[in-house]
C-alpha cells in the first residue's frame, strides 16, 4: 500500500487506515494493484447509529483519576484525534479503532432519560459526574443530536455537580445552563489544548475546534462565571512539548485558573495508528518522537499502570513535570478552591403528570 494514496483518501480525518481491532481473527491489508485504484476510493462519510444502552452512568475504580463516575453521550468521536486513547474501545464493537472510530459513531438519544431514572434511585449517592472522559460530548454531531445539552438539563434540575472536558467551542451553546449551575458551585469545565500551532492541530485533531477558538471559549465561559481551566493534553514529545508554557500563558490570559496535563498515551491499536501518522506527517521526527515516548514509558511504547500511565517515568517525564509545576507557580494556577457542592442534590417532582408517592 502506497502512503501517498492514503493521504488523498483520508483528507479531513485523523487516522490513515482502518486497522483491524485486537479481537478480530483476520487481518486485512489494502494493496495497490498498480493502477492507483486506492486513490479512486470515495470519501468516507460520518454515519450515526442509535446506541441501545440500558444505563447512562459508568462507574470507575481507578486510583489515579479524580472521579468515580462518568457519562458518555456517544461512542466514537468525529474529532478524529490520532492520539485518542479511547480509540481501542471501538474494537469491542467489532469495528476498527482507526477510521471507523471517527466515522462510524453511536449516539445515545435516551441518555438523559436513563440518567434521570438512575438519579431517582433511592440508593443513589451524589458525587460529581464527569462528562467527556472517553469521547467528546461536544463533537460535531451534537449540534444535531443535542444529547449533551439534554444531560445537562437533567443535572441542573437535580442540582447535581458535574465536570466537563472538551476540545470544542460548542460548549458555549450551553452557557445558559452552565452559568446558573456555576453560581451554585455545581460545575467546572476544562478545555483541552494540545498545541497553538493551527496547521499541526489540523493534522493531529482535524475536526476539533481550532486552538484559538478553544481559548476564546475559555474566555467566554469564565466571563459568564463558569470556572474553566485548561488541560494540556496530550503532551506529545518533540511535537508539542515545547509549547506547554505558552499554552498555559494564553489560557491564563483568557481567565483560566486551573490546569492539568497528560503525557501522550498509546494503548493497544493507538500505537500503530500514531506511528503510521508520524510516517506520513512527521517522517523526519518520527524516530525521535518514539524514542522519547519509550524513554518515558520504561522502554515500552505504552504504560498501562495506575500512577504512571498519565505522567510517565524517567528523566524526560520528570522534566515535563518540573516545567509544568514551575509554569503553574509563575502563573498562579491551581489555587486552593472548594470542591463542587453535593449537598444541594435533590430529585425534582417527576414530569408528565406523575404523582409523587413519598
Amino acid at each position: 500500500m502506497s502512503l501517498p494514496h492514503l493521504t488523498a483518501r483520508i483528507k479531513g480525518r485523523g487516522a490513515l487506515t482502518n486497522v483491524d481491532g485486537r479481537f478480530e481473527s483476520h487481518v486485512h491489508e489494502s494493496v495497490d494493484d498498480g493502477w492507483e485504484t486506492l486513490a479512486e476510493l470515495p470519501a468516507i462519510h460520518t454515519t450515526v447509529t442509535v446506541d441501545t444502552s440500558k444505563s447512562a452512568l459508568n462507574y470507575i475504580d481507578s486510583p489515579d483519576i479524580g472521579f468515580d463516575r462518568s457519562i458518555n453521550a456517544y461512542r466514537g468521536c468525529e474529532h478524529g484525534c490520532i492520539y485518542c486513547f479511547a480509540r481501542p474501545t471501538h474494537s469491542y464493537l467489532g469495528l476498527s479503532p482507526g477510521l471507523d472510530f471517527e466515522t462510524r459513531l453511536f449516539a445515545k438519544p435516551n441518555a438523559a432519560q436513563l440518567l434521570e431514572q438512575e438519579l431517582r434511585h433511592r440508593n443513589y449517592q451524589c458525587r460529581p459526574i464527569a462528562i467527556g472522559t472517553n469521547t467528546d460530548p461536544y463533537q460535531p454531531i451534537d449540534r444535531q443530536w443535542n444529547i449533551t445539552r439534554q444531560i445537562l438539563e437533567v443535572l441542573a434540575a437535580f442540582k447535581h455537580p458535574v465536570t466537563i472536558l472538551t476540545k470544542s467551542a460548542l460548549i458555549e451553546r450551553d452557557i445558559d445552563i452552565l452559568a446558573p449551575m456555576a453560581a451554585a458551585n455545581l460545575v467546572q469545565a476544562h478545555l483541552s489544548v494540545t498545541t497553538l500551532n493551527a496547521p499541526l492541530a489540523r493534522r493531529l485533531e482535524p475536526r476539533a475546534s481550532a486552538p484559538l477558538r478553544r481559548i476564546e471559549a475559555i474566555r467566554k465561559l469564565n466571563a459568564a462565571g463558569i470556572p474553566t481551566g485548561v488541560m494540556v493534553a496530550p503532551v506529545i514529545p518533540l511535537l508539542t512539548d515545547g509549547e506547554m508554557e505558552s499554552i498555559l500563558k494564553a489560557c491564563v490570559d483568557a481567565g483560566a485558573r486551573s490546569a492539568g496535563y497528560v503525557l501522550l498515551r498509546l494503548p493497544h491499536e493507538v500505537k500503530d495508528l500514531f506511528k503510521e501518522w508520524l510516517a506520513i506527517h512527521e517522517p523526519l521526527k518520527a524516530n525521535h518522537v518514539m524514542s522519547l515516548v519509550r524513554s518515558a514509558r520504561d522502554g515500552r511504547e505504552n504504560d498501562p499502570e495506575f500512577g504512571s500511565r498519565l505522567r510517565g517515568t524517567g528523566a524526560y517525564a520528570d522534566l515535563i513535570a518540573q516545567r509544568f509545576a514551575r509554569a503553574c507557580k509563575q502563573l498562579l494556577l491551581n489555587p486552593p478552591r472548594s470542591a463542587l457542592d453535593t449537598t444541594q442534590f435533590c430529585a425534582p417532582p417527576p414530569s408528565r403528570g406523575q404523582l409523587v408517592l413519598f
Side-chain angles (χ1 to χ4, degrees):
M1 180 170 56
S2 174
L3 291 178
H5 295 143
L6 285 175
T7 59
R9 178 185 177 188
I10 47 79
K11 183 178 181 181
R13 300 294 182 179
L16 298 174
T17 58
N18 242 347
V19 61
D20 292 288
R22 61 192 181 283
F23 303 119
E24 301 304 308
S25 57
H26 296 88
V27 176
H28 301 81
E29 181 178 355
S30 298
V31 178
D32 191 339
D33 60 5
W35 294 99
E36 298 188 357
T37 52
L38 290 180
E40 300 170 4
L41 292 174
I44 303 175
H45 299 289
T46 301
T47 63
V48 183
T49 302
V50 171
D51 186 291
T52 56
S53 298
K54 291 182 171 51
S55 62
L57 289 175
N58 308 302
Y59 287 90
I60 305 158
D61 184 18
S62 297
D64 56 356
I65 57 177
F67 53 87
D68 70 349
R69 65 200 67 183
S70 68
I71 185 170
N72 292 292
Y74 306 98
R75 297 179 190 263
C77 186
E78 196 176 8
H79 281 166
C81 305
I82 188 59
Y83 49 73
C84 182
F85 65 83
R87 284 182 176 273
T89 59
H90 247 44
S91 295
Y92 294 110
L93 305 175
L95 298 172
S96 171
L99 288 167
D100 281 349
F101 178 78
E102 52 193 282
T103 61
R104 299 180 64 177
L105 311 180
F106 295 80
K108 304 176 183 179
N110 64 339
Q113 179 183 356
L114 292 172
L115 175 62
E116 180 172 351
Q117 293 172 3
E118 292 175 58
L119 297 185
R120 289 188 183 281
H121 195 282
R122 64 177 181 273
N123 292 329
Y124 180 78
Q125 295 183 350
C126 179
R127 292 190 182 91
I129 293 173
I131 300 179
T133 59
N134 199 34
T135 57
D136 201 302
Y138 288 106
Q139 59 179 287
I141 61 171
D142 196 60
R143 294 182 184 276
Q144 290 75 45
W145 289 79
N146 284 303
I147 299 173
T148 298
R149 183 175 177 86
Q150 295 165 22
I151 290 170
L152 291 176
E153 288 172 341
V154 171
L155 294 174
F158 279 77
K159 295 182 173 59
H160 195 296
V162 61
T163 63
I164 303 171
L165 177 63
T166 181
K167 293 181 182 292
S168 176
L170 181 57
I171 189 176
E172 296 171 1
R173 177 197 65 191
D174 295 335
I175 285 178
D176 61 321
I177 299 176
L178 297 174
M181 293 184 72
N185 191 27
L186 292 174
V187 66
Q188 184 174 18
H190 279 84
L191 270 289
S192 175
V193 181
T194 313
T195 176
L196 299 178
N197 182 331
L200 177 58
R202 192 177 298 116
R203 291 178 282 135
L204 276 172
E205 38 200 30
R207 299 199 177 195
S209 294
L212 293 183
R213 272 299 284 123
R214 293 179 225 175
I215 293 173
E216 180 60 22
I218 292 175
R219 188 184 311 279
K220 289 182 178 180
L221 290 166
N222 278 302
I226 303 161
T228 305
V230 58
M231 281 293 295
V232 186
V235 175
I236 304 177
L238 198 64
L239 294 187
T240 70
D241 56 1
E243 298 184 68
M244 177 182 287
E245 290 83 359
S246 56
I247 291 172
L248 292 172
K249 177 63 165 60
C251 293
V252 166
D253 290 344
R257 290 296 175 265
S258 60
Y261 81 95
V262 175
L263 193 61
L264 176 69
R265 297 172 57 195
L266 299 175
H268 301 300
E269 296 91 344
V270 183
K271 294 190 292 291
D272 291 334
L273 288 166
F274 184 70
K275 287 188 288 186
E276 189 175 63
W277 182 93
L278 284 173
I280 283 291
H281 295 290
E282 298 289 348
L284 299 181
K285 297 180 179 179
N287 289 337
H288 194 179
V289 170
M290 292 309 301
S291 175
L292 289 172
V293 168
R294 289 188 290 271
S295 75
R297 300 297 183 187
D298 196 25
R300 297 173 291 177
E301 292 177 341
N302 184 61
D303 174 12
E305 299 299 324
F306 292 135
S308 58
R309 59 178 183 158
L310 302 180
R311 300 285 188 265
T313 58
Y316 174 79
D318 290 345
L319 177 61
I320 295 297
Q322 292 167 18
R323 287 174 51 199
F324 180 80
R326 180 177 180 180
C328 287
K329 182 177 180 180
Q330 291 176 336
L331 295 169
L332 303 180
L333 279 163
N334 296 328
R337 65 183 304 272
S338 59
L340 295 178
D341 191 356
T342 60
T343 64
Q344 302 176 58
F345 173 74
C346 63
S351 58
R352 304 181 189 88
Q354 182 178 350
L355 298 178
V356 179
L357 281 178
F358 304 102

